[in-house]
Amino acid sequence: FGEGMSIHVPADYHQWSAEDVSKYFTSKGYSQYSTLWVQHRLSGERVVLMSPTDLVTIGVKCIGDRMGIQKELRELKTHARDQDRTKVLAEHQEAYAGSAVERWFRDYCCGCFCPREPDTYTLMSSVLKIRQYHYQRFCGMKCGGCLGGIWKNNTIPLDRITDVDTVVSTKGVGMFGEAKCTVLITSAAGTDATTQLSRLEHTELFLDRDEGEHLAQEIQHQVLEYKLNLEGKHEIF
């Protein structure tokens, strides 16, 4: 309906202006309402928040047209959810538990034999993904990367996170000490837990101080946003 824009469910509808919204619904057979979207400043981000009552309010009086427009809005919203599930909001790597000098010594003197495999932390719209490397043990001790290991993934749904806290500490010796941040995440476990204590899981993320404190704030914000969405405060229908 416009240069470079698809008449099917588009990937960039959230960037549309009200004029783009008008063109989209015109292409779907609703040209008689082309001025309404512009008049009411309904951009791509806003139009998916509309309710059936809102359609009546702006002047869509025909029941059949309202049902058709609602169907188009549902498809846009479904597409938005699919995009949100895969949208990466933040991504970090586990910090080294020491100073930069200690890390340099470890990487250049021991790295060839025992490569460091830091955890990765990925915050998405609905989950927090943690990828951890579990080292093999010898006589009860972790052997770095010498004996290999396996990667394990832990996915925490944001609606199960009940608390996010931070602890700042100093790693390294003397003037080479560096501030680190441990992000403490408490989440509800599965429904098969038998006691109140066992229903809580505790996860730790280890980062440099500034990164850790910022990530903790991002997690708290996204947890709130996601729970509000689940409660239906941004539902269209």
Side-chain angles (χ1 to χ4, degrees):
F1 54 92
E3 185 177 354
M5 301 176 73
S6 170
I7 63 173
H8 303 293
V9 178
D12 62 345
Y13 78 89
H14 56 284
Q15 298 176 354
W16 287 358
S17 65
E19 288 78 10
D20 294 329
V21 171
S22 176
K23 292 177 183 178
Y24 180 77
F25 283 104
T26 294
S27 74
K28 294 295 184 177
Y30 304 104
S31 59
Q32 64 270 44
Y33 307 115
S34 60
T35 61
L36 295 181
W37 316 108
V38 178
Q39 179 184 345
H40 292 277
R41 301 178 183 175
L42 292 168
S43 64
E45 283 187 321
R46 294 171 180 173
V47 76
V48 294
L49 300 177
M50 293 188 70
S51 69
T53 302
D54 293 329
L55 290 175
V56 176
T57 300
I58 68 172
V60 183
K61 297 181 180 180
C62 176
I63 294 176
D65 287 349
R66 286 206 302 271
M67 294 176 66
I69 292 173
Q70 287 170 31
K71 177 178 179 293
E72 298 297 338
L73 290 173
R74 280 196 296 270
E75 289 183 0
L76 285 174
K77 187 181 178 185
T78 298
H79 188 66
R81 286 173 173 167
D82 291 341
Q83 282 188 314
D84 282 344
R85 290 191 188 102
T86 59
K87 183 179 180 181
V88 175
L89 304 178
E91 192 165 22
H92 298 275
Q93 278 194 343
E94 177 188 18
Y96 181 71
S99 68
V101 173
E102 291 170 316
R103 179 177 176 178
W104 180 90
F105 181 82
R106 186 237 181 262
D107 288 346
Y108 283 90
C109 296
C110 306
C112 295
F113 303 101
C114 299
R116 180 172 173 266
E117 301 285 0
D119 297 346
T120 58
Y121 316 125
T122 305
L123 176 62
M124 305 181 78
S125 298
S126 59
V127 298
L128 174 65
K129 292 187 175 183
I130 302 169
R131 189 166 185 257
Q132 296 175 308
Y133 192 75
H134 291 256
Y135 296 108
Q136 297 289 349
R137 291 177 178 268
F138 180 73
C139 295
M141 298 178 61
K142 288 184 179 180
C143 295
C146 307
L147 300 180
I150 57 174
W151 285 101
K152 290 187 177 181
N153 297 310
N154 181 19
T155 300
I156 305 174
L158 296 188
D159 59 317
R160 291 192 177 184
I161 294 179
T162 59
D163 188 43
V164 180
D165 205 352
T166 58
V167 175
V168 176
S169 59
T170 300
K171 299 293 183 180
V173 180
M175 62 180 295
F176 298 112
E178 295 181 5
K180 307 290 181 178
C181 178
T182 302
V183 181
L184 307 173
I185 297 175
T186 304
S187 59
T191 56
D192 57 342
T194 56
T195 67
Q196 189 67 28
L197 183 62
S198 64
R199 289 177 184 169
L200 295 179
E201 293 182 345
H202 303 281
T203 306
E204 296 186 1
L205 316 181
F206 187 70
L207 302 104
D208 292 324
R209 182 183 62 188
D210 292 344
E211 276 190 321
E213 291 178 339
H214 182 64
L215 179 59
Q217 292 176 353
E218 288 184 299
I219 294 173
Q220 290 172 329
H221 173 76
Q222 189 58 31
V223 165
L224 178 59
E225 285 291 317
Y226 185 61
K227 288 182 178 179
L228 287 176
N229 284 328
L230 289 182
E231 290 171 6
K233 294 191 177 181
H234 297 304
E235 290 291 325
I236 298 175
F237 307 108

